[in-house]
PDB file of all heavy atoms in Angstrom:
ATOM      1  N   LYS D   1      50.705  -3.216  25.227  1.00  0.00           N
ATOM      2  CA  LYS D   1      49.534  -3.513  26.027  1.00  0.00           C
ATOM      3  C   LYS D   1      48.414  -4.127  25.069  1.00  0.00           C
ATOM      4  O   LYS D   1      47.646  -5.044  25.583  1.00  0.00           O
ATOM      5  CB  LYS D   1      49.050  -2.226  26.713  1.00  0.00           C
ATOM      6  CG  LYS D   1      50.067  -1.883  27.815  1.00  0.00           C
ATOM      7  CD  LYS D   1      49.520  -0.493  28.389  1.00  0.00           C
ATOM      8  CE  LYS D   1      50.658   0.063  29.284  1.00  0.00           C
ATOM      9  NZ  LYS D   1      50.467   1.493  29.500  1.00  0.00           N
ATOM     10  N   VAL D   2      48.360  -3.736  23.887  1.00  0.00           N
ATOM     11  CA  VAL D   2      47.354  -4.264  22.962  1.00  0.00           C
ATOM     12  C   VAL D   2      47.686  -5.624  22.479  1.00  0.00           C
ATOM     13  O   VAL D   2      48.826  -5.951  22.333  1.00  0.00           O
ATOM     14  CB  VAL D   2      46.990  -3.281  21.784  1.00  0.00           C
ATOM     15  CG1 VAL D   2      46.638  -2.009  22.182  1.00  0.00           C
ATOM     16  CG2 VAL D   2      48.307  -3.293  20.824  1.00  0.00           C
ATOM     17  N   SER D   3      46.822  -6.470  22.337  1.00  0.00           N
ATOM     18  CA  SER D   3      46.943  -7.793  21.808  1.00  0.00           C
ATOM     19  C   SER D   3      47.250  -7.669  20.282  1.00  0.00           C
ATOM     20  O   SER D   3      46.751  -6.864  19.550  1.00  0.00           O
ATOM     21  CB  SER D   3      45.803  -8.648  22.133  1.00  0.00           C
ATOM     22  OG  SER D   3      44.591  -8.192  21.479  1.00  0.00           O
ATOM     23  N   PHE D   4      48.179  -8.613  19.892  1.00  0.00           N
ATOM     24  CA  PHE D   4      48.582  -8.634  18.421  1.00  0.00           C
ATOM     25  C   PHE D   4      48.887 -10.034  18.067  1.00  0.00           C
ATOM     26  O   PHE D   4      49.267 -10.789  18.791  1.00  0.00           O
ATOM     27  CB  PHE D   4      49.628  -7.621  18.246  1.00  0.00           C
ATOM     28  CG  PHE D   4      50.955  -7.915  18.837  1.00  0.00           C
ATOM     29  CD1 PHE D   4      51.816  -8.710  18.041  1.00  0.00           C
ATOM     30  CD2 PHE D   4      51.324  -7.437  20.049  1.00  0.00           C
ATOM     31  CE1 PHE D   4      53.135  -8.967  18.628  1.00  0.00           C
ATOM     32  CE2 PHE D   4      52.471  -7.840  20.626  1.00  0.00           C
ATOM     33  CZ  PHE D   4      53.406  -8.589  19.915  1.00  0.00           C
ATOM     34  N   GLU D   5      48.685 -10.028  16.652  1.00  0.00           N
ATOM     35  CA  GLU D   5      49.097 -11.373  16.104  1.00  0.00           C
ATOM     36  C   GLU D   5      50.274 -10.963  15.055  1.00  0.00           C
ATOM     37  O   GLU D   5      50.196  -9.843  14.583  1.00  0.00           O
ATOM     38  CB  GLU D   5      47.998 -12.234  15.405  1.00  0.00           C
ATOM     39  CG  GLU D   5      47.415 -11.453  14.135  1.00  0.00           C
ATOM     40  CD  GLU D   5      46.307 -12.142  13.584  1.00  0.00           C
ATOM     41  OE1 GLU D   5      46.118 -13.343  13.789  1.00  0.00           O
ATOM     42  OE2 GLU D   5      45.608 -11.516  12.632  1.00  0.00           O
ATOM     43  N   VAL D   6      51.063 -11.854  14.665  1.00  0.00           N
ATOM     44  CA  VAL D   6      52.036 -11.584  13.622  1.00  0.00           C
ATOM     45  C   VAL D   6      51.851 -12.610  12.443  1.00  0.00           C
ATOM     46  O   VAL D   6      51.733 -13.785  12.667  1.00  0.00           O
ATOM     47  CB  VAL D   6      53.397 -11.753  14.193  1.00  0.00           C
ATOM     48  CG1 VAL D   6      54.590 -11.470  13.137  1.00  0.00           C
ATOM     49  CG2 VAL D   6      53.797 -10.676  15.343  1.00  0.00           C
ATOM     50  N   ILE D   7      51.798 -12.024  11.278  1.00  0.00           N
ATOM     51  CA  ILE D   7      51.679 -12.725   9.979  1.00  0.00           C
ATOM     52  C   ILE D   7      52.881 -12.513   9.263  1.00  0.00           C
ATOM     53  O   ILE D   7      53.097 -11.311   8.863  1.00  0.00           O
ATOM     54  CB  ILE D   7      50.367 -12.406   9.346  1.00  0.00           C
ATOM     55  CG1 ILE D   7      49.085 -12.672  10.183  1.00  0.00           C
ATOM     56  CG2 ILE D   7      50.254 -13.193   7.992  1.00  0.00           C
ATOM     57  CD1 ILE D   7      47.808 -12.143   9.611  1.00  0.00           C
ATOM     58  N   VAL D   8      53.580 -13.447   8.880  1.00  0.00           N
ATOM     59  CA  VAL D   8      54.767 -13.387   8.048  1.00  0.00           C
ATOM     60  C   VAL D   8      54.556 -14.036   6.655  1.00  0.00           C
ATOM     61  O   VAL D   8      54.134 -15.151   6.589  1.00  0.00           O
ATOM     62  CB  VAL D   8      55.992 -14.066   8.571  1.00  0.00           C
ATOM     63  CG1 VAL D   8      57.092 -14.057   7.709  1.00  0.00           C
ATOM     64  CG2 VAL D   8      56.361 -13.260   9.913  1.00  0.00           C
ATOM     65  N   VAL D   9      54.583 -13.164   5.648  1.00  0.00           N
ATOM     66  CA  VAL D   9      54.415 -13.694   4.324  1.00  0.00           C
ATOM     67  C   VAL D   9      55.802 -13.795   3.669  1.00  0.00           C
ATOM     68  O   VAL D   9      56.501 -12.847   3.636  1.00  0.00           O
ATOM     69  CB  VAL D   9      53.520 -12.656   3.418  1.00  0.00           C
ATOM     70  CG1 VAL D   9      53.372 -13.182   2.018  1.00  0.00           C
ATOM     71  CG2 VAL D   9      52.159 -12.499   4.152  1.00  0.00           C
ATOM     72  N   ASP D  10      56.102 -15.018   3.304  1.00  0.00           N
ATOM     73  CA  ASP D  10      57.476 -15.250   2.800  1.00  0.00           C
ATOM     74  C   ASP D  10      57.423 -15.240   1.271  1.00  0.00           C
ATOM     75  O   ASP D  10      56.976 -16.191   0.602  1.00  0.00           O
ATOM     76  CB  ASP D  10      58.026 -16.655   3.377  1.00  0.00           C
ATOM     77  CG  ASP D  10      59.457 -16.795   3.063  1.00  0.00           C
ATOM     78  OD1 ASP D  10      60.188 -16.066   2.494  1.00  0.00           O
ATOM     79  OD2 ASP D  10      59.971 -17.839   3.615  1.00  0.00           O
ATOM     80  N   ASN D  11      57.993 -14.099   0.793  1.00  0.00           N
ATOM     81  CA  ASN D  11      57.994 -13.946  -0.638  1.00  0.00           C
ATOM     82  C   ASN D  11      59.495 -14.438  -1.273  1.00  0.00           C
ATOM     83  O   ASN D  11      59.661 -14.297  -2.396  1.00  0.00           O
ATOM     84  CB  ASN D  11      57.943 -12.378  -1.051  1.00  0.00           C
ATOM     85  CG  ASN D  11      56.505 -12.072  -1.237  1.00  0.00           C
ATOM     86  OD1 ASN D  11      55.555 -12.835  -1.114  1.00  0.00           O
ATOM     87  ND2 ASN D  11      56.252 -10.862  -1.682  1.00  0.00           N
ATOM     88  N   ASP D  12      60.277 -14.943  -0.453  1.00  0.00           N
ATOM     89  CA  ASP D  12      61.534 -15.350  -0.885  1.00  0.00           C
ATOM     90  C   ASP D  12      61.400 -16.576  -1.852  1.00  0.00           C
ATOM     91  O   ASP D  12      60.499 -17.406  -1.529  1.00  0.00           O
ATOM     92  CB  ASP D  12      62.538 -15.824   0.296  1.00  0.00           C
ATOM     93  CG  ASP D  12      63.721 -15.017   0.300  1.00  0.00           C
ATOM     94  OD1 ASP D  12      64.186 -14.360  -0.789  1.00  0.00           O
ATOM     95  OD2 ASP D  12      64.461 -15.028   1.313  1.00  0.00           O
ATOM     96  N   GLU D  13      62.257 -16.741  -2.775  1.00  0.00           N
ATOM     97  CA  GLU D  13      62.250 -17.871  -3.701  1.00  0.00           C
ATOM     98  C   GLU D  13      62.564 -19.249  -2.977  1.00  0.00           C
ATOM     99  O   GLU D  13      61.850 -20.225  -3.089  1.00  0.00           O
ATOM    100  CB  GLU D  13      63.077 -17.766  -4.872  1.00  0.00           C
ATOM    101  CG  GLU D  13      62.776 -16.636  -5.864  1.00  0.00           C
ATOM    102  CD  GLU D  13      63.272 -15.302  -5.435  1.00  0.00           C
ATOM    103  OE1 GLU D  13      64.141 -15.230  -4.525  1.00  0.00           O
ATOM    104  OE2 GLU D  13      62.907 -14.319  -6.074  1.00  0.00           O
ATOM    105  N   VAL D  14      63.633 -19.051  -2.035  1.00  0.00           N
ATOM    106  CA  VAL D  14      64.019 -20.225  -1.236  1.00  0.00           C
ATOM    107  C   VAL D  14      63.388 -19.885   0.179  1.00  0.00           C
ATOM    108  O   VAL D  14      63.888 -18.934   0.748  1.00  0.00           O
ATOM    109  CB  VAL D  14      65.493 -20.391  -1.235  1.00  0.00           C
ATOM    110  CG1 VAL D  14      65.994 -21.507  -0.467  1.00  0.00           C
ATOM    111  CG2 VAL D  14      66.054 -20.512  -2.715  1.00  0.00           C
ATOM    112  N   LYS D  15      62.614 -20.705   0.650  1.00  0.00           N
ATOM    113  CA  LYS D  15      61.959 -20.535   1.968  1.00  0.00           C
ATOM    114  C   LYS D  15      62.865 -21.002   3.086  1.00  0.00           C
ATOM    115  O   LYS D  15      62.863 -22.169   3.399  1.00  0.00           O
ATOM    116  CB  LYS D  15      60.663 -21.390   2.068  1.00  0.00           C
ATOM    117  CG  LYS D  15      59.736 -21.069   0.873  1.00  0.00           C
ATOM    118  CD  LYS D  15      59.306 -19.631   0.773  1.00  0.00           C
ATOM    119  CE  LYS D  15      58.268 -19.515  -0.328  1.00  0.00           C
ATOM    120  NZ  LYS D  15      58.340 -18.182  -1.044  1.00  0.00           N
ATOM    121  N   THR D  16      63.733 -20.172   3.597  1.00  0.00           N
ATOM    122  CA  THR D  16      64.772 -20.442   4.554  1.00  0.00           C
ATOM    123  C   THR D  16      64.385 -20.096   6.049  1.00  0.00           C
ATOM    124  O   THR D  16      64.984 -20.543   7.005  1.00  0.00           O
ATOM    125  CB  THR D  16      66.113 -19.767   4.222  1.00  0.00           C
ATOM    126  OG1 THR D  16      65.841 -18.278   4.244  1.00  0.00           O
ATOM    127  CG2 THR D  16      66.620 -20.131   2.880  1.00  0.00           C
ATOM    128  N   ILE D  17      63.307 -19.379   6.173  1.00  0.00           N
ATOM    129  CA  ILE D  17      62.991 -18.778   7.524  1.00  0.00           C
ATOM    130  C   ILE D  17      61.924 -19.688   8.326  1.00  0.00           C
ATOM    131  O   ILE D  17      61.756 -19.452   9.468  1.00  0.00           O
ATOM    132  CB  ILE D  17      62.584 -17.305   7.569  1.00  0.00           C
ATOM    133  CG1 ILE D  17      61.213 -17.176   6.735  1.00  0.00           C
ATOM    134  CG2 ILE D  17      63.650 -16.483   7.015  1.00  0.00           C
ATOM    135  CD1 ILE D  17      60.703 -15.896   6.759  1.00  0.00           C
ATOM    136  N   GLN D  18      61.256 -20.466   7.532  1.00  0.00           N
ATOM    137  CA  GLN D  18      60.033 -21.214   8.174  1.00  0.00           C
ATOM    138  C   GLN D  18      60.564 -22.029   9.385  1.00  0.00           C
ATOM    139  O   GLN D  18      59.885 -21.973  10.402  1.00  0.00           O
ATOM    140  CB  GLN D  18      59.378 -22.144   7.136  1.00  0.00           C
ATOM    141  CG  GLN D  18      58.210 -22.800   7.734  1.00  0.00           C
ATOM    142  CD  GLN D  18      57.421 -23.699   6.679  1.00  0.00           C
ATOM    143  OE1 GLN D  18      57.855 -23.826   5.604  1.00  0.00           O
ATOM    144  NE2 GLN D  18      56.308 -24.118   7.085  1.00  0.00           N
ATOM    145  N   LYS D  19      61.674 -22.739   9.339  1.00  0.00           N
ATOM    146  CA  LYS D  19      62.041 -23.610  10.415  1.00  0.00           C
ATOM    147  C   LYS D  19      62.259 -22.789  11.649  1.00  0.00           C
ATOM    148  O   LYS D  19      61.950 -23.129  12.809  1.00  0.00           O
ATOM    149  CB  LYS D  19      63.291 -24.465   9.979  1.00  0.00           C
ATOM    150  CG  LYS D  19      63.717 -25.388  11.129  1.00  0.00           C
ATOM    151  CD  LYS D  19      65.037 -26.157  10.687  1.00  0.00           C
ATOM    152  CE  LYS D  19      64.637 -27.378   9.849  1.00  0.00           C
ATOM    153  NZ  LYS D  19      65.872 -28.263   9.521  1.00  0.00           N
ATOM    154  N   ASP D  20      63.026 -21.656  11.464  1.00  0.00           N
ATOM    155  CA  ASP D  20      63.503 -20.851  12.585  1.00  0.00           C
ATOM    156  C   ASP D  20      62.113 -20.105  13.192  1.00  0.00           C
ATOM    157  O   ASP D  20      61.992 -19.950  14.455  1.00  0.00           O
ATOM    158  CB  ASP D  20      64.465 -19.769  12.286  1.00  0.00           C
ATOM    159  CG  ASP D  20      65.838 -20.312  12.030  1.00  0.00           C
ATOM    160  OD1 ASP D  20      66.140 -21.304  12.699  1.00  0.00           O
ATOM    161  OD2 ASP D  20      66.551 -19.790  11.207  1.00  0.00           O
ATOM    162  N   ILE D  21      61.189 -19.749  12.334  1.00  0.00           N
ATOM    163  CA  ILE D  21      59.943 -19.172  12.863  1.00  0.00           C
ATOM    164  C   ILE D  21      59.277 -20.228  13.693  1.00  0.00           C
ATOM    165  O   ILE D  21      58.796 -19.871  14.733  1.00  0.00           O
ATOM    166  CB  ILE D  21      59.120 -18.621  11.729  1.00  0.00           C
ATOM    167  CG1 ILE D  21      59.689 -17.348  11.083  1.00  0.00           C
ATOM    168  CG2 ILE D  21      57.687 -18.294  12.168  1.00  0.00           C
ATOM    169  CD1 ILE D  21      58.998 -16.852   9.835  1.00  0.00           C
ATOM    170  N   ARG D  22      59.066 -21.431  13.212  1.00  0.00           N
ATOM    171  CA  ARG D  22      58.241 -22.430  13.822  1.00  0.00           C
ATOM    172  C   ARG D  22      58.955 -22.789  15.251  1.00  0.00           C
ATOM    173  O   ARG D  22      58.283 -23.031  16.184  1.00  0.00           O
ATOM    174  CB  ARG D  22      58.172 -23.684  13.028  1.00  0.00           C
ATOM    175  CG  ARG D  22      57.447 -23.485  11.771  1.00  0.00           C
ATOM    176  CD  ARG D  22      55.941 -23.739  11.985  1.00  0.00           C
ATOM    177  NE  ARG D  22      55.292 -23.758  10.713  1.00  0.00           N
ATOM    178  CZ  ARG D  22      54.454 -22.951  10.298  1.00  0.00           C
ATOM    179  NH1 ARG D  22      54.104 -21.879  11.190  1.00  0.00           N
ATOM    180  NH2 ARG D  22      53.822 -22.863   9.323  1.00  0.00           N
ATOM    181  N   LYS D  23      60.327 -22.805  15.256  1.00  0.00           N
ATOM    182  CA  LYS D  23      61.014 -23.132  16.494  1.00  0.00           C
ATOM    183  C   LYS D  23      60.980 -22.011  17.544  1.00  0.00           C
ATOM    184  O   LYS D  23      60.718 -22.284  18.647  1.00  0.00           O
ATOM    185  CB  LYS D  23      62.465 -23.515  16.098  1.00  0.00           C
ATOM    186  CG  LYS D  23      63.320 -23.810  17.313  1.00  0.00           C
ATOM    187  CD  LYS D  23      64.745 -24.019  16.853  1.00  0.00           C
ATOM    188  CE  LYS D  23      65.576 -24.186  18.069  1.00  0.00           C
ATOM    189  NZ  LYS D  23      67.031 -24.377  17.742  1.00  0.00           N
ATOM    190  N   ASN D  24      61.293 -20.740  17.054  1.00  0.00           N
ATOM    191  CA  ASN D  24      61.420 -19.657  18.120  1.00  0.00           C
ATOM    192  C   ASN D  24      60.129 -18.892  18.135  1.00  0.00           C
ATOM    193  O   ASN D  24      60.026 -18.092  19.225  1.00  0.00           O
ATOM    194  CB  ASN D  24      62.501 -18.794  17.555  1.00  0.00           C
ATOM    195  CG  ASN D  24      63.882 -19.464  17.450  1.00  0.00           C
ATOM    196  OD1 ASN D  24      64.169 -20.230  18.414  1.00  0.00           O
ATOM    197  ND2 ASN D  24      64.563 -19.433  16.361  1.00  0.00           N
ATOM    198  N   TYR D  25      59.186 -18.856  17.284  1.00  0.00           N
ATOM    199  CA  TYR D  25      57.996 -18.027  17.349  1.00  0.00           C
ATOM    200  C   TYR D  25      56.855 -18.895  16.876  1.00  0.00           C
ATOM    201  O   TYR D  25      56.153 -18.512  15.820  1.00  0.00           O
ATOM    202  CB  TYR D  25      58.191 -16.779  16.422  1.00  0.00           C
ATOM    203  CG  TYR D  25      59.339 -15.903  16.754  1.00  0.00           C
ATOM    204  CD1 TYR D  25      60.602 -15.970  16.081  1.00  0.00           C
ATOM    205  CD2 TYR D  25      59.309 -14.989  17.840  1.00  0.00           C
ATOM    206  CE1 TYR D  25      61.640 -15.206  16.440  1.00  0.00           C
ATOM    207  CE2 TYR D  25      60.331 -14.140  18.187  1.00  0.00           C
ATOM    208  CZ  TYR D  25      61.589 -14.350  17.460  1.00  0.00           C
ATOM    209  OH  TYR D  25      62.580 -13.500  17.801  1.00  0.00           O
ATOM    210  N   PRO D  26      56.465 -19.900  17.628  1.00  0.00           N
ATOM    211  CA  PRO D  26      55.404 -20.831  17.219  1.00  0.00           C
ATOM    212  C   PRO D  26      54.049 -20.114  17.032  1.00  0.00           C
ATOM    213  O   PRO D  26      53.224 -20.682  16.194  1.00  0.00           O
ATOM    214  CB  PRO D  26      55.350 -21.829  18.293  1.00  0.00           C
ATOM    215  CG  PRO D  26      55.907 -21.212  19.470  1.00  0.00           C
ATOM    216  CD  PRO D  26      56.903 -20.263  18.990  1.00  0.00           C
ATOM    217  N   ALA D  27      53.861 -19.003  17.545  1.00  0.00           N
ATOM    218  CA  ALA D  27      52.438 -18.311  17.475  1.00  0.00           C
ATOM    219  C   ALA D  27      52.300 -17.589  16.137  1.00  0.00           C
ATOM    220  O   ALA D  27      51.284 -17.218  15.748  1.00  0.00           O
ATOM    221  CB  ALA D  27      52.167 -17.403  18.731  1.00  0.00           C
ATOM    222  N   ILE D  28      53.362 -17.223  15.478  1.00  0.00           N
ATOM    223  CA  ILE D  28      53.447 -16.549  14.188  1.00  0.00           C
ATOM    224  C   ILE D  28      52.669 -17.331  13.115  1.00  0.00           C
ATOM    225  O   ILE D  28      52.879 -18.571  13.014  1.00  0.00           O
ATOM    226  CB  ILE D  28      54.871 -16.166  13.749  1.00  0.00           C
ATOM    227  CG1 ILE D  28      55.330 -14.980  14.721  1.00  0.00           C
ATOM    228  CG2 ILE D  28      54.860 -15.727  12.339  1.00  0.00           C
ATOM    229  CD1 ILE D  28      56.832 -14.623  14.373  1.00  0.00           C
ATOM    230  N   ILE D  29      51.860 -16.641  12.376  1.00  0.00           N
ATOM    231  CA  ILE D  29      51.228 -17.370  11.254  1.00  0.00           C
ATOM    232  C   ILE D  29      52.231 -17.126  10.052  1.00  0.00           C
ATOM    233  O   ILE D  29      52.562 -16.006   9.735  1.00  0.00           O
ATOM    234  CB  ILE D  29      49.862 -16.618  10.976  1.00  0.00           C
ATOM    235  CG1 ILE D  29      48.885 -16.795  12.099  1.00  0.00           C
ATOM    236  CG2 ILE D  29      49.350 -17.167   9.626  1.00  0.00           C
ATOM    237  CD1 ILE D  29      47.740 -15.802  12.142  1.00  0.00           C
ATOM    238  N   TYR D  30      52.722 -18.251   9.529  1.00  0.00           N
ATOM    239  CA  TYR D  30      53.644 -18.259   8.450  1.00  0.00           C
ATOM    240  C   TYR D  30      52.944 -18.591   7.098  1.00  0.00           C
ATOM    241  O   TYR D  30      52.287 -19.692   7.101  1.00  0.00           O
ATOM    242  CB  TYR D  30      54.799 -19.218   8.752  1.00  0.00           C
ATOM    243  CG  TYR D  30      55.764 -19.320   7.454  1.00  0.00           C
ATOM    244  CD1 TYR D  30      56.741 -18.497   7.385  1.00  0.00           C
ATOM    245  CD2 TYR D  30      55.638 -20.421   6.685  1.00  0.00           C
ATOM    246  CE1 TYR D  30      57.556 -18.612   6.274  1.00  0.00           C
ATOM    247  CE2 TYR D  30      56.495 -20.621   5.627  1.00  0.00           C
ATOM    248  CZ  TYR D  30      57.452 -19.645   5.386  1.00  0.00           C
ATOM    249  OH  TYR D  30      58.301 -19.842   4.338  1.00  0.00           O
ATOM    250  N   LEU D  31      53.173 -17.717   6.153  1.00  0.00           N
ATOM    251  CA  LEU D  31      52.418 -17.957   4.851  1.00  0.00           C
ATOM    252  C   LEU D  31      53.451 -17.850   3.804  1.00  0.00           C
ATOM    253  O   LEU D  31      53.950 -16.924   3.409  1.00  0.00           O
ATOM    254  CB  LEU D  31      51.285 -16.876   4.637  1.00  0.00           C
ATOM    255  CG  LEU D  31      50.242 -16.710   5.591  1.00  0.00           C
ATOM    256  CD1 LEU D  31      49.361 -15.536   5.267  1.00  0.00           C
ATOM    257  CD2 LEU D  31      49.439 -18.010   5.675  1.00  0.00           C
ATOM    258  N   PRO D  32      53.845 -19.081   3.217  1.00  0.00           N
ATOM    259  CA  PRO D  32      54.681 -19.119   2.050  1.00  0.00           C
ATOM    260  C   PRO D  32      53.933 -18.462   0.918  1.00  0.00           C
ATOM    261  O   PRO D  32      52.769 -18.699   0.647  1.00  0.00           O
ATOM    262  CB  PRO D  32      54.930 -20.680   1.802  1.00  0.00           C
ATOM    263  CG  PRO D  32      53.986 -21.284   2.529  1.00  0.00           C
ATOM    264  CD  PRO D  32      53.337 -20.443   3.604  1.00  0.00           C
ATOM    265  N   ASN D  33      54.646 -17.764   0.028  1.00  0.00           N
ATOM    266  CA  ASN D  33      53.988 -17.084  -1.131  1.00  0.00           C
ATOM    267  C   ASN D  33      54.935 -17.055  -2.280  1.00  0.00           C
ATOM    268  O   ASN D  33      56.097 -16.760  -2.071  1.00  0.00           O
ATOM    269  CB  ASN D  33      53.648 -15.599  -0.534  1.00  0.00           C
ATOM    270  CG  ASN D  33      52.666 -14.976  -1.526  1.00  0.00           C
ATOM    271  OD1 ASN D  33      51.721 -15.512  -2.100  1.00  0.00           O
ATOM    272  ND2 ASN D  33      53.038 -13.675  -1.834  1.00  0.00           N
ATOM    273  N   SER D  34      54.447 -17.116  -3.503  1.00  0.00           N
ATOM    274  CA  SER D  34      55.267 -16.792  -4.619  1.00  0.00           C
ATOM    275  C   SER D  34      55.515 -15.213  -4.694  1.00  0.00           C
ATOM    276  O   SER D  34      54.452 -14.543  -4.532  1.00  0.00           O
ATOM    277  CB  SER D  34      54.765 -17.405  -5.885  1.00  0.00           C
ATOM    278  OG  SER D  34      53.474 -16.861  -6.196  1.00  0.00           O
ATOM    279  N   ASN D  35      56.540 -14.753  -5.079  1.00  0.00           N
ATOM    280  CA  ASN D  35      56.821 -13.300  -5.131  1.00  0.00           C
ATOM    281  C   ASN D  35      56.160 -12.644  -6.312  1.00  0.00           C
ATOM    282  O   ASN D  35      56.620 -12.779  -7.383  1.00  0.00           O
ATOM    283  CB  ASN D  35      58.384 -13.016  -5.179  1.00  0.00           C
ATOM    284  CG  ASN D  35      58.681 -11.604  -5.034  1.00  0.00           C
ATOM    285  OD1 ASN D  35      57.889 -10.842  -4.716  1.00  0.00           O
ATOM    286  ND2 ASN D  35      59.932 -11.225  -5.167  1.00  0.00           N
ATOM    287  N   LYS D  36      55.085 -11.972  -5.968  1.00  0.00           N
ATOM    288  CA  LYS D  36      54.421 -11.149  -6.969  1.00  0.00           C
ATOM    289  C   LYS D  36      54.412  -9.674  -6.478  1.00  0.00           C
ATOM    290  O   LYS D  36      53.611  -8.859  -6.853  1.00  0.00           O
ATOM    291  CB  LYS D  36      52.976 -11.655  -7.155  1.00  0.00           C
ATOM    292  CG  LYS D  36      52.889 -12.983  -7.724  1.00  0.00           C
ATOM    293  CD  LYS D  36      51.545 -13.515  -7.913  1.00  0.00           C
ATOM    294  CE  LYS D  36      51.497 -14.971  -8.389  1.00  0.00           C
ATOM    295  NZ  LYS D  36      50.434 -15.687  -7.859  1.00  0.00           N
ATOM    296  N   GLY D  37      55.365  -9.442  -5.696  1.00  0.00           N
ATOM    297  CA  GLY D  37      55.544  -8.026  -5.280  1.00  0.00           C
ATOM    298  C   GLY D  37      55.085  -7.735  -3.776  1.00  0.00           C
ATOM    299  O   GLY D  37      54.433  -8.598  -3.192  1.00  0.00           O
ATOM    300  N   PHE D  38      55.681  -6.677  -3.223  1.00  0.00           N
ATOM    301  CA  PHE D  38      55.475  -6.283  -1.918  1.00  0.00           C
ATOM    302  C   PHE D  38      53.993  -6.031  -1.606  1.00  0.00           C
ATOM    303  O   PHE D  38      53.377  -6.542  -0.607  1.00  0.00           O
ATOM    304  CB  PHE D  38      56.128  -5.030  -1.589  1.00  0.00           C
ATOM    305  CG  PHE D  38      56.014  -4.494  -0.166  1.00  0.00           C
ATOM    306  CD1 PHE D  38      56.664  -5.231   0.957  1.00  0.00           C
ATOM    307  CD2 PHE D  38      55.356  -3.306   0.180  1.00  0.00           C
ATOM    308  CE1 PHE D  38      56.508  -4.721   2.195  1.00  0.00           C
ATOM    309  CE2 PHE D  38      55.282  -2.880   1.434  1.00  0.00           C
ATOM    310  CZ  PHE D  38      55.768  -3.492   2.517  1.00  0.00           C
ATOM    311  N   GLY D  39      53.222  -5.298  -2.455  1.00  0.00           N
ATOM    312  CA  GLY D  39      51.793  -5.139  -2.336  1.00  0.00           C
ATOM    313  C   GLY D  39      50.973  -6.384  -2.247  1.00  0.00           C
ATOM    314  O   GLY D  39      50.071  -6.572  -1.344  1.00  0.00           O
ATOM    315  N   GLN D  40      51.298  -7.175  -3.169  1.00  0.00           N
ATOM    316  CA  GLN D  40      50.455  -8.454  -3.265  1.00  0.00           C
ATOM    317  C   GLN D  40      50.866  -9.312  -1.924  1.00  0.00           C
ATOM    318  O   GLN D  40      49.877 -10.102  -1.301  1.00  0.00           O
ATOM    319  CB  GLN D  40      50.893  -9.282  -4.432  1.00  0.00           C
ATOM    320  CG  GLN D  40      50.114 -10.540  -4.640  1.00  0.00           C
ATOM    321  CD  GLN D  40      50.737 -11.780  -4.129  1.00  0.00           C
ATOM    322  OE1 GLN D  40      51.801 -11.914  -3.528  1.00  0.00           O
ATOM    323  NE2 GLN D  40      49.835 -12.919  -4.166  1.00  0.00           N
ATOM    324  N   GLY D  41      52.001  -9.289  -1.469  1.00  0.00           N
ATOM    325  CA  GLY D  41      52.464  -9.946  -0.174  1.00  0.00           C
ATOM    326  C   GLY D  41      51.559  -9.464   0.956  1.00  0.00           C
ATOM    327  O   GLY D  41      51.048 -10.224   1.764  1.00  0.00           O
ATOM    328  N   ASN D  42      51.454  -8.111   0.993  1.00  0.00           N
ATOM    329  CA  ASN D  42      50.660  -7.589   2.133  1.00  0.00           C
ATOM    330  C   ASN D  42      49.183  -7.958   2.066  1.00  0.00           C
ATOM    331  O   ASN D  42      48.596  -8.159   2.942  1.00  0.00           O
ATOM    332  CB  ASN D  42      50.808  -6.040   2.060  1.00  0.00           C
ATOM    333  CG  ASN D  42      52.062  -5.545   2.744  1.00  0.00           C
ATOM    334  OD1 ASN D  42      52.307  -6.025   3.854  1.00  0.00           O
ATOM    335  ND2 ASN D  42      52.905  -4.787   2.119  1.00  0.00           N
TER     336      ASN D  42
END
């Protein structure tokens, strides 16, 4: 019931999910990121 947004931070070295996210979930905010750990990604 509550409104929400989804933000995906991609810490993978090879960015393989961006195309599928854009195609299937265009409202998602996709942020490519160099992997500096889970906490930094959050």
Side-chain angles (χ1 to χ4, degrees):
K1 292 176 186 159
V2 297
S3 61
F4 66 93
E5 68 178 348
V6 178
I7 300 170
V8 172
V9 179
D10 192 354
N11 271 6
D12 239 345
E13 292 87 10
V14 179
K15 309 298 185 209
T16 60
I17 62 170
Q18 182 176 8
K19 184 184 274 186
D20 287 332
I21 288 175
R22 296 275 186 243
K23 178 181 176 187
N24 299 312
Y25 303 96
I28 286 179
I29 299 164
Y30 173 83
L31 303 174
N33 190 45
S34 60
N35 185 9
K36 294 180 184 147
F38 181 71
Q40 187 268 356
N42 280 307

